[in-house]
Amino acid sequence: MVTSPQPRTSSRPFDLLRETTSTPPLSSSNIARWVNQLPTPPVRLFLAHFRPAASEPLAPVSSNLRTSPQHLNRKASTAHSPVKHKVRRANAQSSRPIRRSSELISFKMGRPLGSKNRPKNGTDQEEGQELEPMATASDPTGMPPSTPQRDPSNPYHTAPWLPPTTPSGLSGSPGRSEDQSPSRRGPGRPRGAKSASASTEPKAKPVMTKGQLAQMSPSVFFDGMQGIKDEPVPQPVKDLWHNYIKSAVTDPQVVPLELKASLETDYDTPSKTKGPVANHNYVPHLYTAFDLPLVLATVKEIVKESDKNRGLCHHSQWLSKVVTPIMSRIQSLSSSTLGSRGISDLNIESVVISPSELCPTSLAQTFRDLSKKVDNALALTLTKQENQILMKAVTKYRINGAASINQTQNWTAFIPMFQYTELKVDRTDPMIQLAVWVCAEVEKRHREEYALDLPFPLIAISEDYWELWIAYSEEIPLSQRQPGGKSYQIQCLGPQHMGHTANATGVFTILHVLKAIVRWGLEVYEPAFMEHVYQRYA
């Protein structure tokens, strides 16, 4: 049976500990019983009364109480003692006042302090437990007035010490307001000034939908393909649709008849996951004998890569594995299929709109100014002599200070691009970036006085599915223009489904539509470019 503590004969807590624990063995259970029977919590007693005896030399008290001689003598016997945890907690919290006795009670019961371990009634009070009064201005610690509190900066001073008060809700230096604190004010900001983050003005939002582009300058509007019939559109837009695009997207005969035997061997078997190509899709003489094996290899590789990466890959991976091989195959078709000049497939992921004044802006500052990139472009292939003449002429005259023929100032500055492609695999709308890119080029045409009636064939890809859009600019009547806005607006007609990469028939359809766009670029865009741009500088 553990004996009760003897009457206190010493003012030092460790002498009291030696006196009360000399008879029974020094174990965790005995120390716990002794702690519960003390009238004053031992941690407070230790903080209030501990100071070296007169016979002992004065030495700085270690900030770590566990390195004291008393602790080292009892390290082995009190490895699991509650006193060890109480001293450690007191050392960590010696610089702040102890607010409630429930903190020590919770610590005595082995629970960590914090709101997560408090009772469900919303307070620190346990069932049937009385709380000590909270700290006040006269008694900041809630301790009895007769018990002095030790000053952490002076371990030998036993006079009552009050911690510095800080305004509630602030964590800065005592007596400083939020605007006066350097950590809150920031470098270079005068006293009393508000930070930029504290401004009450609404922040501009990014453009997330096609409908929000109507609030930009220039405004961008979207309509279906029936707008070609119902609305007055420029004649070049009608020519692009009726003479090139419409027949390509509606014609089911997109598969070369010469490849029927090979396609049936690969796809028309019960063990294959893809169905066979229907007989009505075959047509002879779509490609030359030189191009047929290349086209067949491309189609098989595209179907294979799309099945392997669908829903699993990043944007760049899908672009390199699925989209780029299709565009490159169009570029490599022989001159008998496309034309004598040929075209180039450009990866322009890293190309930005330059100068930035070409980008659409928000007149009401509701949305952020847009500066978007696109993934691919089809362009005319100029000869070396044509390219040198164009570069020297444009660099010499520098129309409006920009040595470029388009909306870029990178390696694409002197390349005539006539078609743009944007890919998305994260369910966002690719037409937002394509519309911004078109706005920048139309603004460039207005500044340089190029041909304004040429449309833009745009391809928006959402993983497997390819959609075609036709964009063009139209003048706004003077009575309908916004103050400070542009004199034109952008119209986008679409979407028109142009194939998919889920099976061979869908890939052949994409190639068939791309061939029609390339024919328009060589037959319509090239003469207009040579007349309005190249001859102007040459």
Side-chain angles (χ1 to χ4, degrees):
M1 183 67 180
V2 180
T3 60
S4 60
Q6 299 295 328
R8 179 177 177 179
T9 60
S10 175
S11 61
R12 299 179 61 188
F14 277 105
D15 293 340
L16 179 61
L17 182 63
R18 295 190 187 98
E19 294 173 2
T20 56
T21 60
S22 58
T23 303
L26 190 60
S27 62
S28 301
S29 59
N30 292 337
I31 292 178
R33 294 189 183 96
W34 175 79
V35 169
N36 293 330
Q37 295 173 6
L38 286 179
T40 305
V43 177
R44 295 185 182 179
L45 190 66
F46 178 81
L47 293 177
H49 298 283
F50 176 70
R51 60 179 174 176
S55 60
E56 298 178 359
L58 296 177
V61 179
S62 173
S63 60
N64 188 355
L65 298 180
R66 291 178 295 176
T67 59
S68 60
Q70 294 84 351
H71 174 77
L72 296 177
N73 293 336
R74 293 167 175 81
K75 182 177 181 181
S77 60
T78 61
H80 302 285
S81 172
V83 177
K84 173 182 176 182
H85 301 287
K86 291 173 178 293
V87 173
R88 183 185 306 171
R89 184 65 179 179
N91 180 43
Q93 298 185 352
S94 60
S95 61
R96 69 175 180 88
I98 301 177
R99 297 179 301 173
R100 297 172 181 266
S101 62
S102 60
E103 294 185 358
L104 290 178
I105 293 175
S106 299
F107 207 73
K108 192 188 308 179
M109 297 176 63
R111 295 200 312 263
L113 300 179
S115 60
K116 294 183 179 180
N117 295 275
R118 293 179 178 177
K120 296 182 179 179
N121 55 9
T123 65
D124 291 337
Q125 184 177 5
E126 303 282 356
E127 295 294 337
Q129 173 190 341
E130 294 184 0
L131 295 179
E132 292 185 5
M134 294 187 63
T136 60
S138 60
D139 185 15
T141 62
M143 299 172 60
S146 60
T147 305
Q149 186 176 2
R150 174 174 170 269
D151 186 355
S153 62
N154 187 1
Y156 311 113
H157 180 63
T158 58
W161 169 77
L162 299 179
T165 58
T166 304
S168 60
L170 298 180
S171 60
S173 302
R176 285 186 175 181
S177 64
E178 181 178 1
D179 291 335
Q180 294 176 342
S181 177
S183 60
R184 297 293 183 117
R185 188 173 69 250
R189 188 157 60 91
R191 296 180 182 273
K194 296 294 184 179
S195 61
S197 60
S199 176
T200 58
E201 298 180 0
K203 296 183 179 180
K205 301 178 294 183
V207 175
M208 303 298 295
T209 62
K210 293 196 294 289
Q212 295 172 347
L213 291 174
Q215 306 179 37
M216 305 297 292
S217 176
S219 301
V220 183
F221 299 95
F222 296 84
D223 197 0
M225 283 298 183
Q226 68 275 6
I228 297 180
K229 299 179 181 179
D230 303 337
E231 299 178 3
V233 298
Q235 188 61 36
V237 177
K238 296 181 179 180
D239 294 341
L240 172 61
W241 170 252
H242 292 291
N243 300 339
Y244 297 93
I245 304 299
K246 184 177 180 180
S247 58
V249 297
T250 57
D251 187 6
Q253 296 181 332
V254 296
V255 183
L257 182 61
E258 295 84 356
L259 301 179
K260 183 176 181 179
S262 178
L263 292 174
E264 288 179 350
T265 302
D266 292 335
Y267 299 108
D268 194 8
T269 59
S271 61
K272 301 298 179 182
T273 57
K274 301 302 177 184
V277 178
N279 291 328
H280 66 272
N281 294 131
Y282 290 103
V283 62
H285 311 303
L286 283 178
Y287 301 91
T288 63
F290 176 81
D291 295 330
L292 281 174
L294 301 177
V295 172
L296 177 63
T298 300
V299 171
K300 291 182 179 180
E301 185 66 19
I302 294 303
V303 174
K304 175 183 175 182
E305 291 295 334
S306 62
D307 287 342
K308 183 172 64 175
N309 298 293
R310 184 176 297 112
L312 303 175
C313 67
H314 189 262
H315 167 273
S316 299
Q317 184 177 356
W318 187 272
L319 182 67
S320 61
K321 296 291 186 180
V322 180
V323 178
T324 302
I326 296 179
M327 310 301 288
S328 300
R329 180 55 55 211
I330 288 295
Q331 172 185 344
S332 64
L333 292 179
S334 62
S335 58
S336 59
T337 304
L338 296 181
S340 57
R341 178 178 291 275
I343 54 120
S344 300
D345 167 47
L346 307 178
N347 187 319
I348 56 175
E349 288 182 278
S350 60
V351 178
V352 299
I353 298 174
S354 181
S356 59
E357 290 80 6
L358 300 178
C359 300
T361 58
S362 178
L363 296 178
Q365 302 299 323
T366 305
F367 300 99
R368 301 175 188 170
D369 294 348
L370 297 176
S371 178
K372 300 289 187 179
K373 304 176 183 179
V374 294
D375 293 325
N376 279 78
L378 293 178
L380 298 177
T381 302
L382 300 179
T383 63
K384 183 178 181 180
Q385 182 180 3
E386 292 172 343
N387 197 16
Q388 290 177 349
I389 293 176
L390 190 61
M391 292 178 62
K392 290 181 180 179
V394 174
T395 305
K396 178 181 178 181
Y397 292 105
R398 284 186 176 273
I399 303 299
N400 291 337
S404 173
I405 64 172
N406 51 40
Q407 68 272 42
T408 68
Q409 291 185 9
N410 209 312
W411 57 273
T412 58
F414 304 101
I415 299 178
M417 298 177 287
F418 61 89
Q419 186 276 327
Y420 304 109
T421 302
E422 173 62 22
L423 165 70
K424 291 295 183 182
V425 295
D426 55 357
R427 299 184 183 275
T428 56
D429 198 337
M431 274 306 298
I432 296 178
Q433 294 177 229
L434 290 172
V436 172
W437 196 265
V438 169
C439 290
E441 182 162 348
V442 172
E443 177 64 20
K444 176 71 173 181
R445 291 181 181 182
H446 272 267
R447 294 188 179 189
E448 308 292 353
E449 299 179 356
Y450 293 159
L452 302 176
D453 55 352
L454 285 178
F456 301 88
L458 308 175
I459 297 178
I461 306 175
S462 298
E463 204 170 44
D464 276 310
Y465 296 95
W466 294 48
E467 294 178 339
L468 177 68
W469 292 76
I470 299 178
Y472 63 96
S473 66
E474 62 180 5
E475 292 294 324
I476 303 177
L478 187 61
S479 59
Q480 300 179 6
R481 296 179 186 177
Q482 298 181 1
K486 302 294 183 180
S487 61
Y488 61 91
Q489 62 185 12
I490 307 299
Q491 290 284 348
C492 297
L493 304 180
Q496 176 62 51
H497 181 67
M498 57 172 290
H500 55 83
T501 57
N503 55 39
T505 305
V507 178
F508 276 115
T509 304
I510 294 175
L511 292 173
H512 194 60
V513 178
L514 286 176
K515 284 173 53 182
I517 296 176
V518 169
R519 285 196 302 109
W520 173 84
L522 295 175
E523 297 175 3
V524 178
Y525 181 83
E526 179 188 358
F529 170 79
M530 299 301 291
E531 177 183 357
H532 297 281
V533 182
Y534 181 79
Q535 294 296 334
R536 179 181 182 182
Y537 302 114

